[in-house]
Amino acid sequence: MEVRQEAGESEAQLADIIQMVRDTVMRRWLLLLVVFAAVAVLGIVAVQFLPVSYTSTAKVRIDPSLNPLATKSADGKAELTPEAIDTEVASVQSPTIARAIVRQFHLDRDPEFAKALQGGGPGLTTASDRESVLAAALLKKLNVSREKLTYILDISFTSADPIKAAKFANAFAQGYIDAKTGNKAGTAERQSQWFERRLKELADDARNADAQVADYRAKAGIVESDGGGANGSTIVDQQITPLAGSLAQAQADAAAARSDLDAARTQMAHGSRDSVGVVLNSATVQALRSQRSDIVRNLGEIQVRYGEKHPETLRVRDQLAAVDAQLQNETRRVISALTATAASTQARVASLRESMGQLETRRAGDTRNAVIAEGLEREATAKRALYDRMSQMALDSMQAARVSLAQAQIVEVAQAPSRPTSPNKPLFYVAALVLGLIAGGATIAVQELMSGTLRSAEDADRTLGLTMLAAIPKVAKGVNPADLLITEPTSFFSESLRIVRAAVLGVRGQAAPKVIALTSALPSEGKSTTALAFARTLAIANAKTLLIECDVRRAVMQRMVKGAPPRVGLVEVIHGDAQLDEAILPGDVPGLDQLLVVSRYFSSEDLFGGGAMENLLNTLRGRYDHIVLDLPPLMGLADGRFLAVLADATIMVVKWDETPASAASSAVNWLRADGSNPIGMVYSMVGQGAESVGGLYYYSRKYAEYYRSA
């Protein structure tokens, strides 16, 4: 269950990140496009000035069957290890071959390579030094690699001239073949001679090692095991095994004899001798006991018949006494026999144990000798194995010395390429486009992080401590947003103002604010337009509403409403120069009246702080259901703060993604410090790309079917 919950949270976080990225791109797509185009164009132009180079490749096949150091696979075929192939690759890149090509083609006169000699200083005075420098420059343009898992080497050379690229690739391939053909026979012959000398030394070492092992075994008394091989046993090992068996048997016999003797003694100590088990088992004792039983039975009959003193009775008693004497003698004899048996078996155990101790002492010395013998045997075995391996290598070397064919051959000659291999312009073009996209994304990401503006319900709650009442969308240029309430009553814009109305008036049973002020932190945040649209929304909902324009320094409301401009307005009413009913004019929707400013008014007087405005509002409260005040901005002007205190509720209008968070936060703090009642904030001019930012979900495409434009 926890795993499923964590997975759901991860998916939600990923969805939030994707939505945030999409919203950022939609808000700042123009900057993204400009940076992308600039970087991409610069990259494409830079690609046009990259130097052009050509690469040509020659292919050389290595024949492992002709290589003297090739190994045999399981099926008997010759094969080369990866290390051996790497050796061949290094051979192609040999400085010796490169120096030969430098001399062959006189590269000290070739401008492409001669520039490597420029700036070399006094160290390039000899021809050898110059050749080394040119050879190094030549090898920098060479690349040798194995073609997959084959025995084919790709020898590639890169040059600004396609003809040179093919020429030098073929030159390195031919130089490698020549070097292998010229050096092979002499190298194999020298190897053969060396193998012969080495084999003779190894043969002598192996014979000496075998002789040493045999001598030592003979002196130490170590005999070969039945299976042969390196391991063997000593004479003591062969003697000690049967002796150990005899000792174990003797100990068992001695233990049994002691047990019988101890049992007999115990029985004799606690009863008559007739009860001793060993005595009872004696055939003689059994016969005497049977005879005694007959005599006792006969004695009883005679005593009954003749009496105690009758001669026959006395004679039978004498017979009984003689039998008892024989039983006692036989019992003593059996006990003596047990004692003798126990003593003899114990003596045999002691003798065997002494013999075993002597053999163990000798065995300890023999063990050390056996270890030494085994070491000598291993050394001899290693020398024989080395001799066998070296013998096989010598045979292979002698066979290679008799082979006159080359170990490699050119299977494909390098051709001059028809088109350059570098730079790969299509790839660089794609890289330029990707780099431009990355640069554009990074630019808008940095700008987004440094913006410091408000864009979501979370921003409003976290920064201002206010609830976001609604988000009013941005409309097309040239359209008066407030007029959409009349021309398009079911549009996004109209619905957002109805949401503001629902949020401000609250649910049934709560007292709705009568005087509602709308203000902003800075100018040009859509405050006046929102105030007019909100007043129209209240009037359309059958509430008698009055819109009072309090932003006297701008006086823009008369340009936003329909009808003839007023002759007198709010300033004249406060000064007492005009009657209130004369200044109030009907609005452009039923139920809406307007008290506007005739012209821009600049004065140092406290127009709204003397009590006149408060008295005016008290007079109007009884005539209207709602009074909407269009206040001036709070930053830099004092009028708005005086007027906000007189209202029942104040709404902050914040321009989405443009008003600095610090300015909006300061304005709200001033309202709270003055004792005003800021009940929430409204985002104005929200971009169409903000459909999933914060609490703006009702403004999503998901609700497209709920809205309809006229």
Side-chain angles (χ1 to χ4, degrees):
M1 194 69 181
E2 294 179 356
V3 174
R4 193 177 305 170
Q5 183 177 0
E6 292 177 358
E9 293 176 355
S10 300
E11 292 177 359
Q13 293 175 357
L14 179 61
D16 292 341
I17 293 174
I18 294 175
Q19 293 286 4
M20 181 181 65
V21 172
R22 187 180 70 175
D23 294 340
T24 302
V25 172
M26 295 185 70
R27 286 194 305 273
R28 307 185 187 276
W29 65 269
L30 183 59
L31 177 61
L32 173 63
L33 182 61
V34 170
V35 175
F36 166 75
V39 174
V41 169
L42 288 176
I44 293 172
V45 171
V47 171
Q48 305 303 320
F49 293 94
L50 291 177
V52 177
S53 61
Y54 297 83
T55 300
S56 185
T57 302
K59 296 181 181 295
V60 174
R61 184 176 68 86
I62 303 173
D63 190 349
S65 63
L66 302 178
N67 194 306
L69 298 181
T71 59
K72 298 293 184 180
S73 63
D75 56 1
K77 294 181 179 180
E79 62 179 6
L80 290 175
T81 62
E83 292 78 7
I85 295 177
D86 291 341
T87 302
E88 300 302 322
V89 170
S91 298
V92 179
Q93 299 171 316
S94 168
T96 302
I97 297 177
R99 290 167 66 93
I101 294 174
V102 168
R103 292 191 299 269
Q104 178 183 356
F105 293 99
H106 305 286
L107 295 187
D108 55 338
R109 305 173 190 173
D110 190 321
E112 183 177 354
F113 300 98
K115 61 183 179 182
L117 300 174
Q118 299 175 1
L124 300 178
T125 56
T126 64
S128 177
D129 293 338
R130 293 168 64 86
E131 277 186 5
S132 299
V133 173
L134 292 172
L138 191 66
L139 290 174
K140 288 181 181 179
K141 298 176 178 291
L142 178 69
N143 181 54
V144 183
S145 62
R146 181 184 184 183
E147 189 171 303
K148 297 182 180 178
L149 298 179
T150 66
Y151 291 124
I152 294 179
L153 302 183
D154 291 338
I155 303 175
S156 302
F157 194 86
T158 302
S159 174
D161 185 349
I163 298 177
K164 285 184 181 179
K167 178 175 67 175
F168 289 120
N170 291 327
F172 271 99
Q174 190 60 48
Y176 168 70
I177 297 296
D178 294 341
K180 283 293 181 181
T181 303
N183 296 333
K184 178 182 141 183
T187 301
E189 184 64 29
R190 288 192 297 272
Q191 288 178 346
S192 178
Q193 295 175 359
W194 180 84
F195 280 136
E196 289 180 1
R197 292 194 301 271
R198 184 59 178 156
L199 281 173
K200 187 177 183 303
E201 295 174 358
L202 292 177
D204 293 340
D205 290 344
R207 283 194 297 270
N208 293 335
D210 289 338
Q212 187 176 5
V213 170
D215 292 344
Y216 190 85
R217 284 182 179 277
K219 293 178 180 179
I222 300 174
V223 297
E224 295 289 343
S225 62
D226 294 339
N231 297 324
S233 60
T234 63
I235 297 174
V236 173
D237 290 333
Q238 296 177 354
Q239 293 175 346
I240 202 169
T241 300
L243 184 60
S246 299
L247 176 60
Q249 183 62 43
Q251 289 175 334
D253 295 342
R258 284 197 305 273
S259 177
D260 292 342
L261 179 60
D262 292 340
R265 287 174 176 173
T266 301
Q267 291 170 352
M268 291 177 64
H270 292 85
S272 65
R273 295 181 178 181
D274 294 342
S275 63
V276 178
V278 179
V279 174
L280 294 176
N281 293 332
S282 173
T284 303
V285 172
Q286 291 177 356
L288 290 174
R289 288 177 65 85
S290 177
Q291 183 179 357
R292 186 178 185 279
S293 297
D294 294 338
I295 294 173
V296 170
R297 185 172 58 256
N298 189 25
L299 177 62
E301 294 176 355
I302 292 174
Q303 285 178 343
V304 172
R305 182 182 301 174
Y306 300 109
E308 292 291 335
K309 297 182 178 180
H310 191 275
E312 186 63 23
T313 301
L314 295 176
R315 184 186 65 80
V316 173
R317 283 180 177 174
D318 291 338
Q319 290 179 351
L320 180 61
V323 171
D324 287 338
Q326 291 179 2
L327 282 174
Q328 290 179 359
N329 292 334
E330 184 62 24
T331 299
R332 283 193 295 271
R333 187 190 65 78
V334 171
I335 296 300
S336 298
L338 287 176
T339 303
T341 300
S344 64
T345 54
Q346 188 61 39
R348 184 167 179 268
V349 168
S351 175
L352 290 174
R353 188 171 291 159
E354 181 181 359
S355 299
M356 181 64 73
Q358 295 174 355
L359 289 178
E360 289 290 348
T361 303
R362 293 176 56 189
R363 187 181 189 181
D366 290 344
T367 301
R368 291 191 295 272
N369 296 334
V371 172
I372 297 174
E374 289 178 2
L376 294 175
E377 182 63 33
R378 285 194 297 270
E379 182 179 354
T381 302
K383 289 182 178 180
R384 288 194 298 271
L386 181 59
Y387 175 82
D388 294 339
R389 176 60 180 162
M390 191 65 68
S391 177
Q392 183 61 42
M393 293 175 65
L395 179 60
D396 294 340
S397 178
M398 286 186 290
Q399 290 177 348
R402 292 192 293 267
V403 176
S404 58
L405 297 177
Q407 298 175 12
Q409 60 179 339
I410 299 175
V411 295
E412 184 177 326
V413 178
Q415 302 293 331
S418 59
R419 60 182 61 185
T421 55
S422 177
N424 187 348
K425 290 188 176 181
L427 179 61
F428 277 94
Y429 291 153
V430 173
L433 296 177
V434 173
L435 184 61
L437 186 61
I438 294 174
T443 301
I444 64 174
V446 172
Q447 195 175 51
E448 188 79 5
L449 293 174
M450 298 178 63
S451 63
T453 58
L454 304 176
R455 290 194 299 270
S456 67
E458 289 79 6
D459 292 342
D461 182 62
R462 182 177 60 253
T463 305
L464 306 181
L466 295 178
T467 301
M468 190 197 79
L469 303 180
I472 302 175
K474 186 177 182 180
V475 301
K477 291 184 178 180
V479 177
N480 185 355
D483 291 343
L484 293 177
L485 290 167
I486 302 173
T487 60
E488 299 181 13
T490 60
S491 63
F492 288 167
F493 184 89
S494 301
E495 189 65 29
S496 65
L497 268 298
R498 286 192 284 272
I499 293 175
V500 176
R501 174 183 172 277
V504 172
L505 300 186
V507 298
R508 182 179 300 176
Q510 295 180 348
K514 184 176 287 288
V515 180
I516 304 169
L518 281 83
T519 186
S520 63
L522 302 172
S524 302
E525 296 195 51
K527 164 188 60 64
S528 297
T529 301
T530 304
L532 175 58
F534 181 61
R536 287 177 176 174
T537 301
L538 294 174
I540 292 173
N542 298 321
K544 189 172 178 59
T545 305
L546 174 65
L547 171 63
I548 302 178
E549 182 183 15
C550 302
D551 194 355
V552 298
R553 297 176 188 245
R554 293 190 64 196
V556 298
M557 194 67 72
Q558 61 176 304
R559 298 195 299 270
M560 299 169 60
V561 299
K562 298 179 181 179
R567 292 182 295 103
V568 294
L570 176 64
V571 177
E572 288 77 16
V573 172
I574 292 177
H575 284 164
D577 297 335
Q579 296 297 320
L580 178 61
D581 293 335
E582 181 184 3
I584 295 176
L585 300 177
D588 41 19
V589 297
L592 175 63
D593 289 341
Q594 302 168 162
L595 179 56
L596 308 181
V597 178
V598 176
S599 60
R600 303 174 67 183
Y601 180 76
F602 297 92
S603 175
S604 60
E605 66 174 310
D606 186 7
L607 181 65
F608 301 112
M613 187 65 183
E614 183 177 3
N615 294 332
L616 176 62
L617 291 176
N618 290 333
T619 301
L620 295 173
R621 284 177 182 270
R623 298 171 56 178
Y624 292 94
D625 295 328
H626 300 293
I627 301 172
V628 178
L629 305 181
D630 175 24
L631 305 187
L634 297 177
M635 301 289 290
L637 298 173
D639 293 345
R641 299 176 64 176
F642 284 114
L643 293 168
V645 176
L646 302 178
D648 298 332
T650 302
I651 300 174
M652 278 290 298
V653 178
V654 176
K655 188 174 182 180
W656 179 81
D657 197 27
E658 189 164 323
T659 302
S662 57
S665 177
S666 297
V668 172
N669 290 335
W670 291 339
L671 291 176
R672 292 193 176 107
D674 295 338
S676 301
N677 181 28
I679 62 172
M681 58 85 62
V682 172
Y683 279 121
S684 65
M685 292 179 272
V686 177
Q688 294 292 332
E691 61 181 69
S692 62
V693 177
L696 313 185
Y697 284 104
Y698 72 87
Y699 184 46
S700 168
R701 292 190 183 94
K702 299 177 181 178
Y703 287 82
E705 297 297 327
Y706 288 83
Y707 309 117
R708 184 179 299 277
S709 299

